[in-house]
Amino acid sequence: MTLTRPFHQNPRAYLIAEEPDEPVLFLSPETLHATARDFVEGFPGLVTYAVKANPAEAVLGNLLAAGVTAFDVASPAEIALVRSLAPRAALHYNNPVRSRAEIEMAVNQGVVSYSVDDRGELLKLARAVPRGREVAVRFKLPIAGAAYDFGEKFGTSPKVAADLLAEVVRLGYRTALTFHPGTQCTDPQAWAAYIDRARDIAWAAGVTLERLNVGGGFPARRMRGEAPPVDAIFEAIARATREAFGAHPPELVCEPGRAMVAEAVSLALRIKAMKGQGQVYLNDGIYGALAEQPIMGMTDRLRVLSPDGTERRGAATPRLLWGPTCDSLDRIPGEVPLPADMVEGDYLLIDGMGAYSTATVTRFNGYGGLTLATVRDLAET
Ligand SMILES: *Cc1c(COP(=O)(O)O)cnc(C)c1O
């Protein structure tokens, strides 16, 4: 990925000037800065950024500039990446499964917090991690409200979590509990239910919890007209913590990925060909920046621009969208309404594409070469 300079005013200006044949991701540092400030000022605790959602250096650099000081990392490569940009940032290593070599690397890099959901993995940590660091026990509840469930892979039952928490104290680590309600979770009550149960777990373990990490999962705007209830979630978290823990609440931590970066990036794809009854061939697809669309449901935040920057406003017509590879799975499920007057060579602009887009791109069939361009403004194109 290359960082293109100089700044263009907006995606439209870039498309007119460059007429790119490859997919372009447009990053608005200003939008990213504003979202980061909303989290840092609105969340009642420490905000860490979940690097996996978008590890682009331009994203990390702008988050640092906006006052994000702590990062949720899941691998040695992510640890090294953040360290290279921010030698003093607080690193929270919240992938609960790690090899011994990975643990050693993390210790050498001064990671301050580790999550765990299994006794064997806790004992593995205890062989290498200095006492006085934080170990956060990850638990899960059968709670709906998210786009998909993270509890299938990680997190233990409240009962085992209480045993692990007691063991964390015995081993001499700082105590925390953590959970992840699932990504794109729109129900504030999901957090409240987890926080309530965290109190029970700490009580069962006989432990005064030092910190409570309420995970990521904050929703981004995926559909036009949607207003993700992030402020309502902050309020629900603050209220539930007060009600559960009273006068001695644990410090709160959150780790947004999606909601921090989604809005700051728009994606421009080119129409390579149009065939038959509404078949549209794009220069990127499910093996590239559209990887999440079949899982989450296709966003409707779409516009079609001609190469001279005119927005196509023809009647919405159902289209079948194919990606560029020769694999027949490489399509967007269902039909997507797009303007009747769109033609080969036009651009499809997709807003809200900052999370889980560049992060999961493959080079399958030689595609996936994305350019990253910085723009002042994404809204006005
Ligand atoms: C992926 C992940 C996140 C970020 O989740 P979002 O839904 O993108 O906010 C946070 N914490 C952990 C442990 C994760 O695995």
Side-chain angles (χ1 to χ4, degrees):
M1 186 179 297
T2 51
L3 186 64
T4 308
R5 292 178 193 283
F7 279 54
H8 288 261
Q9 181 62 33
N10 54 34
R12 181 205 298 272
Y14 180 100
L15 295 175
I16 295 169
E18 307 284 336
E19 212 179 317
D21 207 47
E22 296 227 315
V24 183
L25 284 153
F26 296 103
L27 168 69
S28 161
E30 219 169 278
T31 305
L32 184 57
H33 196 274
T35 311
R37 293 311 306 169
D38 287 347
F39 265 96
V40 169
E41 286 159 22
F43 180 75
L46 175 70
V47 176
T48 71
Y49 169 61
V51 172
K52 81 170 186 284
N54 189 329
E57 284 190 17
V59 167
L60 298 175
N62 281 295
L63 289 176
L64 285 161
V68 174
T69 58
F71 293 83
D72 166 35
V73 291
S75 63
E78 288 185 355
I79 291 170
L81 174 63
V82 177
R83 272 283 170 266
S84 71
L85 300 169
R88 288 194 304 280
L91 298 179
H92 295 195
Y93 191 172
N94 288 336
N95 182 341
V97 173
R98 311 166 187 85
S99 73
R100 285 162 206 267
E102 287 174 334
I103 293 170
E104 191 183 318
M105 188 276 184
V107 169
N108 288 337
Q109 294 298 315
V111 166
V112 293
S113 180
Y114 298 79
S115 73
V116 74
D117 67 356
D118 172 82
R119 189 156 184 276
E121 292 302 298
L122 173 57
L123 297 180
K124 222 153 103 184
L125 280 182
R127 279 193 204 95
V129 176
R131 305 302 177 254
R133 302 283 196 227
E134 177 179 83
V135 175
V137 176
R138 179 156 167 185
F139 70 103
K140 65 176 169 190
L141 300 174
I143 281 181
Y148 52 96
D149 186 3
F150 277 29
E152 275 181 20
K153 186 162 185 183
F154 294 132
T156 187
S157 68
K159 188 177 174 316
V160 174
D163 294 343
L164 288 176
L165 191 61
E167 184 122 20
V168 167
V169 174
R170 275 197 293 279
L171 289 167
Y173 295 111
R174 298 188 58 198
T175 55
L177 282 169
T178 186
F179 57 84
H180 192 302
T183 201
Q184 186 70 16
C185 181
T186 50
D187 182 7
Q189 285 315 305
W191 278 270
Y194 268 103
I195 290 167
D196 197 54
R197 190 55 82 87
R199 182 261 328 269
D200 298 344
I201 294 169
W203 188 85
V207 166
T208 304
L209 212 52
E210 292 174 66
R211 289 211 289 197
L212 176 58
N213 181 338
V214 302
F218 301 90
R221 187 151 80 90
R222 299 203 69 261
M223 304 304 264
R224 264 168 222 227
E226 240 177 37
V230 173
D231 288 338
I233 293 169
F234 291 166
E235 276 167 35
I237 289 169
R239 189 177 334 110
T241 305
R242 262 195 322 273
E243 286 173 7
F245 294 94
H248 302 288
E251 282 173 42
L252 293 173
V253 180
C254 70
E255 42 192 32
R258 176 186 306 283
M260 189 75 101
V261 286
E263 200 59 26
V265 176
S266 294
L267 171 68
L269 304 183
R270 193 157 211 197
I271 316 305
K272 296 177 72 174
M274 311 250 319
K275 289 204 315 203
Q277 300 300 309
Q279 305 207 52
V280 175
Y281 291 75
L282 301 170
N283 61 354
D284 194 32
I286 70 159
Y287 295 101
L290 299 183
E292 246 206 352
Q293 301 301 320
I295 304 165
M296 304 285 289
M298 183 66 181
T299 174
D300 66 354
R301 299 180 64 193
L302 306 168
R303 286 163 292 164
V304 177
L305 300 185
S306 72
D308 71 6
T310 313
E311 182 165 353
R312 303 284 186 197
R313 295 186 181 278
T317 308
R319 309 287 192 180
L320 206 165
L321 301 187
W322 295 102
T325 68
C326 294
D327 178 356
S328 57
L329 288 178
D330 190 6
R331 59 162 286 192
I332 299 298
E335 286 179 332
V336 179
L338 290 173
D341 52 344
M342 67 190 281
V343 296
E344 176 202 336
D346 283 356
Y347 293 98
L348 176 63
L349 253 180
I350 314 179
D351 291 329
M353 288 296 293
Y356 307 111
S357 51
T358 75
T360 53
V361 164
T362 76
R363 299 308 304 251
F364 185 33
N365 244 182
Y367 290 101
L370 302 174
T371 299
L372 180 66
T374 43
V375 291
R376 289 211 173 80
D377 188 4
L378 291 169
E380 199 39 57
T381 49

